[in-house]
């Protein structure tokens, strides 16, 4: 069986959804997702979304982003993101997304680690869910957008050096050929490859794997961010993230003797390193995070879901600290793309966490992820719409050849991550 669509988008996080919503409505868009449409890491984002508040904030915001990324960021990409941020926020609000406001109806801003000022919009402590659920609902209402759940991309279909669609496997094990004039990979990160991660387990670098297989350019795929504070658990599975905003609002870290040991508002990689060092000194499996310095009323109103999750795990954060440990969290590298999110293969785009346009550098600034995904997903859609050309459909292929072709993809990705890490280490030694 062959499915045919104008634009195929693999993934239903904010990147995939925002891209779909900006494709011209006279084009048919097919979205597939490996699990359920609402099981993307975009739904899990707690802290918020950055925005350039005014022209006076530009230099500060730009510097904060570059400094967090160890100045390995692409300045052009950073500039595009900042300049586009207010327009994206206005669009989201127009789509029904609600951000916290004061009694006069003005937007409220919070501050997180490595930010020099408060410039982050938020919705309680479930900002990702608020944004992504509204985009998903809107996408489902569009006549030109169709979503297929429990459908896994196992390979892209390459025809004359261009992407002609994908091979996909359904939940029943049957593989389907999906032909498309344009394909957008929005497959998320690599958390499913790691023992301790805040990511959904099914996010295992599928977009990277098919790119490696087809010789599509990658960039900095060993740049993997560890989040300093996730709730410690001895059980296996996804780790619960304790938002950067908690420390931004005043929470502090303690060692086993209940002594503060670091500046909690440094970039994530610096705080993570300090925690690992303290765990080593204490011979402990975790450190402690205290939210008591935060005003109780603010704590309850700003972080209700974090408080509730901790309560269910036996901790009253208004009275006692919680054990926290660093976990794999975000992927700064990925499939190399230009400023319109186009990959090195014709008719193939990538957006969101699976793509690397250089915005984040070596380490992402807190709450830049949702913004970056939205800005460059829209740019992908705008280029596809403005340059659209039909493509010769790929003839029918034997789908039996694709049934288990992805069985070694995880190993392939981890091996390439290690190779990239070794290359960076060798280059640093030479320098």
């Amino acid at each position: 069986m062959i499915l045919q669509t104008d634009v195929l988008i693999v993934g239903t996080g904010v990147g995939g959804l925002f891209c779909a919503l900006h494709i011209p409505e006279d084009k048919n868009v097919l979205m597939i997702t490996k699990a359920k449409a609402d099981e993307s890491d975009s739904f899990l984002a707690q802290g918020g979304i950055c925005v350039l508040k005014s022209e006076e904030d530009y230099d500060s915001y730009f510097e904060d982003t570059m400094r967090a990324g160890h100045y390995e960021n692409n300045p052009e990409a950073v500039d595009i993101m900042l300049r586009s941020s207010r327009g994206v926020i206005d669009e989201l609000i127009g789509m029904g997304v609600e951000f916290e406001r004061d009694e006069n109806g003005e937007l409220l801003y919070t501050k997180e680690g490595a930010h020099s000022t408060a410039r982050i919009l938020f919705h309680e402590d479930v900002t990702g869910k608020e944004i992504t659920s509204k985009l998903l609902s809107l996408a489902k209402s569009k006549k030109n957008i169709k979503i297929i759940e429990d459908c896994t991309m196992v390979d892209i279909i390459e025809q004359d050096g261009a992407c002609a669609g994908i091979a996909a496997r359904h939940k029943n094990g049957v593989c389907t050929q999906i032909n498309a004039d344009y394909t957008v990979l929005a497959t998320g990160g690599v958390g499913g490859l790691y023992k301790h991660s805040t990511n959904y387990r099914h996010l295992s670098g599928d977009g990277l794997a098919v790119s490696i297989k087809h010789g599509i350019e990658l960039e900095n795929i060993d740049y993997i961010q560890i989040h300093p504070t996730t709730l410690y658990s001895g059980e296996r599975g996804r780790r619960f993230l304790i938002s950067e905003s908690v420390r931004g609002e005043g929470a502090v870290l303690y060692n086993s003797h209940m002594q503060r040991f670091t500046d909690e508002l440094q970039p994530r990689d610096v705080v993570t390193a300090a925690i690992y060092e303290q765990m080593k000194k204490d011979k402990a499996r975790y450190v402690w995070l205290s939210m008591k310095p935060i005003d109780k009323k603010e704590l309850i109103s700003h972080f209700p879901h974090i408080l509730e999750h901790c309560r269910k795990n036996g901790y009253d954060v208004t009275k006692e600290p919680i054990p926290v440990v660093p976990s794999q969290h975000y992927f700064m590298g990925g499939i190399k793309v230009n400023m319109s999110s186009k990959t090195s293969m014709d008719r193939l785009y990538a957006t969101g966490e699976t793509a690397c346009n250089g915005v984040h550098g070596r380490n992402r600034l807190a709450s830049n992820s949702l913004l970056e995904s939205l800005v460059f997903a829209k740019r992908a859609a705008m280029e596809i719409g403005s340059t659209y050309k039909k493509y010769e459909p790929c003839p029918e292929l034997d789908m039996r050849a694709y049934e288990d072709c992805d069985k070694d993809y995880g190993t392939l990705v981890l091996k390439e991550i290690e190779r990239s890490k070794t290359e960076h280490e060798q280059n640093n030694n030479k320098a």
Side-chain angles (χ1 to χ4, degrees), residues 4-7 19-30 142-146 181-182 381-390:
Q4 181 71 46
T5 187
D6 296 323
V7 180
C19 182
L21 290 167
H22 284 88
I23 296 293
E25 293 194 6
D26 64 340
K27 306 300 180 188
N28 291 317
V29 179
L30 175 62
K142 298 293 185 180
K143 293 181 179 180
N144 70 313
I145 300 175
K146 179 181 179 181
D181 293 332
Y182 294 88
M382 300 303 287
E383 179 167 287
I384 291 171
S386 64
T387 62
Y388 198 98
K389 293 181 180 179
K390 295 295 292 183

Side-chain angles (χ1 to χ4, degrees), residues 20-124:
L21 290 167
H22 284 88
I23 296 293
E25 293 194 6
D26 64 340
K27 306 300 180 188
N28 291 317
V29 179
L30 175 62
M31 304 185 74
I32 71 163
T33 180
K34 199 173 182 179
K36 301 303 178 185
D38 59 357
E39 292 179 342
S40 71
D41 275 0
S42 298
F43 272 86
L44 304 178
Q46 294 176 348
I49 180 171
C50 294
V51 63
L52 181 65
K53 291 194 296 184
S54 66
E55 189 61 33
E56 288 69 32
D57 185 39
Y58 180 89
D59 289 344
S60 173
Y61 186 6
F62 188 92
E63 173 61 20
D64 288 349
T65 300
M66 296 293 290
R67 184 173 62 251
H70 296 267
Y71 299 97
E72 292 188 24
N73 323 60
N74 179 342
E76 181 185 5
V78 176
D79 177 72
I80 288 171
M81 182 182 73
L82 270 59
R83 298 291 185 192
S84 305
S85 63
R86 179 56 65 181
V88 164
I89 295 301
D90 290 343
E91 274 198 76
L92 292 178
I93 293 172
M95 292 174 171
V97 174
E98 297 181 5
F99 296 110
E100 300 299 319
R101 297 176 182 269
D102 63 20
E103 59 273 12
N104 298 316
E106 297 296 319
L107 290 168
L108 284 174
Y109 298 89
T110 189
K111 183 180 179 182
E112 296 183 357
H115 284 272
S116 55
T117 188
R119 62 168 69 90
I120 300 164
L121 297 172
F122 62 99
H123 180 93
E124 296 179 347

Side-chain angles (χ1 to χ4, degrees), residues 118 151 163 174 185-186 205 246 348:
C151 184
C163 183
V174 175
L185 301 181
V246 172
L348 180 66

Side-chain angles (χ1 to χ4, degrees), residues 284-313:
R285 291 171 291 177
Y286 48 79
V287 295
W288 297 95
L289 179 72
S290 174
M291 302 184 205
K292 290 185 71 175
I294 305 174
D295 177 76
K296 188 173 180 179
K297 184 178 179 181
E298 171 66 17
L299 186 61
I300 293 171
S301 65
H302 193 158
F303 307 109
H305 298 86
I306 291 176
L307 267 66
E308 178 61 17
H309 185 90
C310 290
R311 185 193 65 77
K312 288 181 178 178
N313 282 269

